[in-house]
Amino acid sequence: MSTTQSERLRGLLEPLVSAEGLDLEEIDLSRAGRRRVLRIVVDSEQGVELDVCAELSRAISERLDDTDAMGEDEYVLEVSSPGADRPLTEHRHYVRATGRLAKLQLREGGDLVARILAVDEEGLDLEVPGVKGRRPTSRRVAFDEIAKARVEIEFNRKDKKEEEA
């Protein structure tokens, strides 16, 4: 998608998304055969429920139909929340991942798997799990040291509410 069209769509749709208390994370326009697919990814501090995506999809569809932003060609509109494997690229992504396990690719080389304990403007406070029965250790990583980051899916982690019970 051209930058101009992306900027135009963002300018058109961001007020709708913001009115729902959501963040517009991504706009992607691609081809699927003869049709175009417009994918809108939204998120919030509390996550995004399916009903909210459906309601927002209707509002976005109406807005696009009222303008010529998509031209005359057919397109499919998809509105969703980001998947669990979405890269952490913005400060707010790290804040939302607080308490979660993340895999960080460091610019100096190497990977680090650690739990995000706290996030501030400069970087992350992490808890690195201990190996072979050793205690976890604390580590500080600045944002400029991180090349890539992604939340690690944990299937066996107990929820805090379960631990307190």
Side-chain angles (χ1 to χ4, degrees):
M1 172 169 55
S2 71
T3 304
T4 307
Q5 186 173 22
S6 176
E7 289 169 359
R8 185 172 178 204
L9 286 170
R10 183 168 288 278
L12 187 67
L13 303 179
E14 200 148 33
L16 284 174
V17 173
S18 295
E20 294 293 327
L22 302 171
D23 296 316
L24 179 57
E25 294 290 345
E26 184 180 334
I27 296 175
D28 179 51
L29 183 61
S30 60
R31 285 241 170 243
R34 294 187 326 201
R35 290 189 177 158
R36 295 176 299 162
V37 178
L38 176 60
R39 289 183 182 88
I40 310 292
V41 179
V42 297
D43 201 6
S44 77
E45 295 293 326
Q46 298 78 28
V48 182
E49 294 182 4
L50 186 58
D51 290 343
V52 173
C53 284
E55 187 177 311
L56 185 59
S57 179
R58 285 188 288 276
I60 289 173
S61 181
E62 285 179 24
R63 177 69 54 92
L64 292 174
D65 289 347
D66 291 343
T67 68
D68 64 345
M70 293 300 294
E72 297 297 319
D73 294 339
E74 287 184 29
Y75 67 93
V76 175
L77 175 63
E78 295 178 3
V79 177
S80 65
S81 62
D85 61 345
R86 177 242 344 244
L88 304 174
T89 57
E90 302 284 336
H91 183 268
R92 68 178 177 264
H93 298 163
Y94 289 97
V95 171
R96 290 177 185 157
T98 299
R100 310 267 319 259
L101 200 61
K103 182 175 184 178
L104 310 175
Q105 235 179 30
L106 303 176
R107 290 192 193 285
E108 65 189 30
D111 292 340
L112 173 64
V113 176
R115 189 163 312 282
I116 300 172
L117 298 178
V119 180
D120 60 31
E121 296 304 315
E122 287 81 41
L124 312 170
D125 290 327
L126 304 169
E127 178 184 74
V128 181
V131 180
K132 296 184 181 178
R134 293 191 177 165
R135 293 179 160 245
T137 56
S138 297
R139 180 163 177 188
R140 173 81 179 165
V141 175
F143 286 121
D144 62 2
E145 296 177 60
I146 301 170
K148 291 182 183 180
R150 185 177 304 275
V151 168
E152 288 283 287
I153 306 300
E154 296 179 85
F155 292 106
N156 60 353
R157 179 169 186 226
K158 291 183 180 177
D159 192 3
K160 285 184 180 184
K161 292 177 187 173
E162 290 178 29
E163 291 175 4
E164 292 171 0

